[in-house]
């Protein structure tokens, strides 16, 4: 299959911000050795190259359909990307310290398109609710002046024009520049929800249980709020555990120091 | 550049609402319209020869321009280069509109902008940062804009 690489490299170098970058050790598949690589995470794409200044990109990993895990069994500060499905890879990495490991795990957990789409749907629902509550409180605001509940008007900076100002061009849309009015998005979502998004979500699988076999991911009666909370809980468990382990590790080291001084 | 091909092919096989046989013409001079199974999965547009299991190719739908060409066809231009303009012929005006809409909304950057908009508005309307409950308020990818911060409120900060 041909992946049009220039589109990816162009996207990497364009003005939208990078989500995370830094050194990680990547485990080679054949022997068990690790090679230090510079990783750049943008959207659901994880690029890597030998050094940050290199013009040549060595590779990219598309982050859909994989489980992100701390994997201490692989070694200290290790993490992995396990793609779910027969014959699919698991990428293994190691960070230099706990903080780097935790930070990468967290960033990779929220990197997928599926995750973002669930999150956006959830926030869209919260936004509609908040607007309804506001209008039932008896005030109608079209500008960005704050609601009655807040005293100073909050100045809001948006990178793109707000919905009132968004102009729907009849001939062309620029995917990178036009922010659609939320009411339009709601209408479309209501018309197609939940089918607008892929019905099988590879990431709504419990991290701590056996992965369902490929093709069996359930998404019957898809409810964005319910699903996102579940998703958040699954990932939250991993992050919480990482934090707890790190904290208990730190405490243990401190106690050790006290004993040494005593 | 290496990429996780097997995994991407596996992704292309996931069920998708937007999958149809369209006429597709590549960007190069001399390219003709060919019947292809075109499938939108996350922010990738895969295209297959009809009845083949593995896609011929995958196009990342970021930094691209989607334009109506005529009543039943649209184009996608990458890198702002005419040499990278793909044409798609649909069966109806309605189908054409649906595809254009879906492709635009599938872009990660488009979704990110929506997220930031909702986050900002919810904070303005309720005083709360909706990302706090998910523990992702400080993730770089969800920040409001290029380092610019909202005026901090008493209850939360973005």
């Amino acid at each position: 299959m041909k992946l049009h690489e220039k589109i990816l490299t162009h996207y990497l170098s364009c003005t939208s911000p990078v989500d995370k970058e830094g050194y990680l050790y990547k485990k080679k598949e054949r022997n068990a050795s690790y090679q230090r690589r510079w990783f750049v995470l943008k959207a659901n794409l994880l690029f890597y190259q030998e050094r940050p200044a290199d013009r040549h990109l060595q590779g990219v990993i598309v982050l859909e359909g994989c489980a992100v895990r701390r994997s201490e069994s692989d070694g200290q500060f290790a993490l992995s990307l396990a793609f779910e499905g027969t014959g699919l890879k698991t990428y293994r990495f190691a960070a230099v310290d706990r903080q780097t490991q935790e930070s990468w795990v967290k960033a990779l957990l929220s990197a997928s398109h599926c995750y973002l789409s669930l999150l956006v749907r959830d926030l869209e629902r919260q936004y509609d609710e908040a607007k309804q509550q506001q209008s039932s409180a008896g005030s109608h605001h079209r500008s960005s002046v704050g609601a009655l509940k807040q005293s100073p008007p909050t100045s809001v900076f948006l990178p793109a024009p707000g919905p009132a100002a968004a102009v729907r061009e009849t001939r062309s849309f620029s995917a990178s520049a036009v922010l659609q009015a939320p009411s339009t998005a709601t209408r479309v979502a209501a018309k197609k929800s939940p089918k607008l998004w892929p019905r099988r979500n590879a990431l709504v699988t419990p991290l701590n249980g056996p992965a369902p076999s490929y093709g069996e991911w359930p998404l019957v009666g898809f409810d964005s709020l319910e699903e996102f909370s579940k998703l958040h809980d699954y990932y939250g468990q991993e992050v919480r555990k990482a934090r707890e382990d790190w904290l208990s590790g730190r405490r243990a080291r401190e106690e050790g120091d006290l004993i040494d001084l005593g | 550049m290496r990429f996780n091909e097997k995994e991407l092919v596996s992704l292309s096989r996931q069920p998708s609402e937007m999958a149809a046989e369209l006429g597709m013409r590549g960007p190069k001079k001399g390219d003709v319209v060919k019947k292809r199974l075109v499938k939108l999965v996350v922010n990738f547009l895969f295209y297959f020869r009809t009845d083949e299991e593995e896609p011929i190719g995958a196009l990342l739908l970021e930094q691209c321009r989607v334009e109506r060409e005529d009543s039943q066809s649209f184009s996608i231009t990458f890198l702002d280069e005419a040499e990278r303009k793909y044409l798609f012929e649909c069966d109806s005006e309605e189908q054409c509109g649906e595809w254009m809409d879906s492709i635009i909304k599938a872009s990660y950057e488009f979704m990110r902008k929506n997220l930031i908009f909702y986050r900002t508005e919810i904070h303005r309307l309720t005083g709360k940062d909706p990302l706090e409950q998910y523990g992702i308020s400080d993730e770089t990818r969800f920040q409001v804009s290029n380092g610019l911060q909202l005026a901090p409120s008493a209850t939360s900060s973005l």
Side-chain angles (χ1 to χ4, degrees):
Chain A
M1 179 182 71
K2 175 177 181 179
L3 177 66
H4 296 254
E5 294 177 8
K6 280 238 168 84
I7 301 174
L8 269 78
T9 53
H10 179 252
Y11 172 56
L12 176 62
S13 59
C14 82
T15 54
S16 65
V18 152
D19 296 322
K20 188 169 176 65
E21 56 188 352
Y23 281 113
L24 279 173
Y25 288 84
K26 182 173 179 287
K27 195 173 191 181
K28 287 190 77 161
E29 277 178 81
R30 306 233 179 100
N31 51 44
S33 69
Y34 284 86
Q35 287 176 319
R36 194 177 76 149
R37 292 286 178 263
W38 180 259
F39 285 86
V40 182
L41 174 64
K42 193 169 189 181
N44 54 347
L45 304 166
L46 184 64
F47 296 90
Y48 56 97
Q49 58 201 92
E50 279 189 41
R51 284 177 304 268
D54 277 358
R55 305 198 72 206
H56 166 72
L57 281 174
Q58 198 173 51
V60 66
I61 302 169
V62 178
L63 301 167
E64 296 295 329
C66 63
V68 181
R69 293 190 180 103
R70 281 168 53 253
S71 49
E72 291 302 328
S73 56
D74 284 342
Q76 230 188 8
F77 314 131
L79 53 141
S80 65
L81 294 173
F83 282 86
E84 279 142 3
T86 341
L88 300 187
K89 282 202 209 50
T90 295
Y91 289 89
R92 298 182 196 279
F93 311 89
V96 291
D97 55 35
R98 180 74 68 196
Q99 198 179 18
T100 311
Q101 178 196 31
E102 205 185 294
S103 162
W104 272 104
V105 167
K106 218 177 162 210
L108 290 165
L109 280 172
S110 56
S112 77
H113 190 279
C114 292
Y115 180 95
L116 181 59
S117 88
L118 284 173
L119 186 55
V120 171
R121 296 194 72 205
D122 188 56
L123 256 54
E124 186 184 0
R125 184 196 50 83
Q126 288 187 41
Y127 170 69
D128 288 340
E129 279 174 12
K131 273 212 306 186
Q132 276 173 20
Q133 281 176 10
Q134 191 202 22
S135 55
S136 64
S139 62
H140 291 274
H141 291 269
R142 283 222 304 34
S143 67
S144 60
V145 174
L148 283 173
K149 289 182 185 165
Q150 300 181 337
S151 21
T154 315
S155 70
V156 171
F157 179 86
L158 293 170
V167 174
R168 194 186 172 105
E169 295 173 22
T170 48
R171 276 198 61 82
S172 76
F173 285 88
S174 170
S176 60
V178 174
L179 179 65
Q180 294 249 329
S183 54
T184 312
T186 309
R187 244 184 284 129
V188 176
K191 179 178 157 198
K192 291 189 178 171
S193 165
K195 294 180 198 163
L196 185 65
W197 310 105
R199 277 201 269 125
R200 295 217 186 137
N201 185 334
L203 290 179
V204 185
T205 50
L207 289 177
N208 297 323
S213 55
Y214 189 81
E216 279 184 346
W217 299 306
L219 255 189
V220 182
F222 183 92
D223 173 334
S224 67
L225 171 61
E226 190 191 314
E227 286 304 328
F228 188 74
S229 301
K230 269 194 213 155
L231 192 71
H232 166 67
D233 285 341
Y234 294 143
Y235 293 149
Q237 279 169 33
E238 272 296 308
V239 177
R240 252 175 271 131
K241 191 168 187 302
R243 195 164 272 138
E244 279 160 23
D245 287 355
W246 181 70
L247 284 172
S248 61
R250 199 171 69 163
R251 255 180 259 124
R253 282 193 296 279
E254 284 169 1
E255 280 165 28
D257 287 341
L258 284 171
I259 289 169
D260 284 342
L261 291 171
Chain B
M1 185 171 76
R2 289 185 226 144
F3 67 99
N4 50 334
E5 180 164 2
K6 257 195 179 162
E7 291 70 22
L8 203 53
V9 170
S10 167
L11 180 69
S12 77
R13 295 221 198 98
Q14 290 216 21
S16 162
E17 266 296 300
M18 295 306 291
E21 248 180 8
L22 304 177
M24 181 176 171
R25 190 183 75 201
K28 303 198 186 101
K29 269 199 187 134
D31 277 353
V32 294
V33 176
K34 292 183 184 155
K35 197 168 68 166
R36 292 284 179 252
L37 173 62
V38 181
K39 195 171 176 187
L40 175 64
V41 183
V42 297
N43 52 344
F44 279 93
L45 195 67
F46 295 100
Y47 52 100
F48 304 70
R49 273 184 206 94
T50 317
D51 293 337
E52 274 187 14
E53 293 248 303
E54 184 172 314
I56 304 167
L59 296 160
L60 174 72
L61 299 169
E62 303 293 336
Q63 295 296 111
C64 59
R65 189 170 60 245
V66 181
E67 286 171 305
R68 194 124 202 178
E69 292 296 321
D70 62 42
S71 61
Q72 291 187 359
S73 53
F74 68 94
S75 65
I76 310 177
T77 307
F78 297 95
L79 278 74
D80 247 332
E81 290 170 12
E83 305 94 67
R84 293 189 200 273
K85 187 173 188 172
Y86 292 80
L87 179 79
F88 296 89
E89 293 177 353
C90 306
D91 292 331
S92 70
E93 194 170 329
E94 195 197 352
Q95 190 191 37
C96 183
E98 273 184 18
W99 271 96
M100 289 177 68
D101 203 51
S102 302
I103 288 168
I104 290 161
K105 290 185 174 147
S107 143
Y108 193 98
E109 292 302 328
F110 176 85
M111 284 165 51
R112 196 210 300 264
K113 284 201 174 91
N114 270 333
L115 181 101
I116 289 171
F117 172 79
Y118 290 137
R119 183 187 186 186
T120 308
E121 285 297 292
I122 291 167
H123 182 255
R124 178 181 69 80
L125 292 168
T126 68
K128 287 200 204 122
D129 173 10
L131 298 190
E132 245 174 56
Q133 64 174 138
Y134 298 125
I136 48 177
S137 310
D138 51 349
E139 284 296 313
T140 315
R141 64 175 71 245
F142 304 131
Q143 292 322 302
V144 172
S145 168
N146 297 333
L148 282 172
Q149 300 292 322
L150 294 183
S153 78
T155 50
S156 65
S157 64
L158 287 179

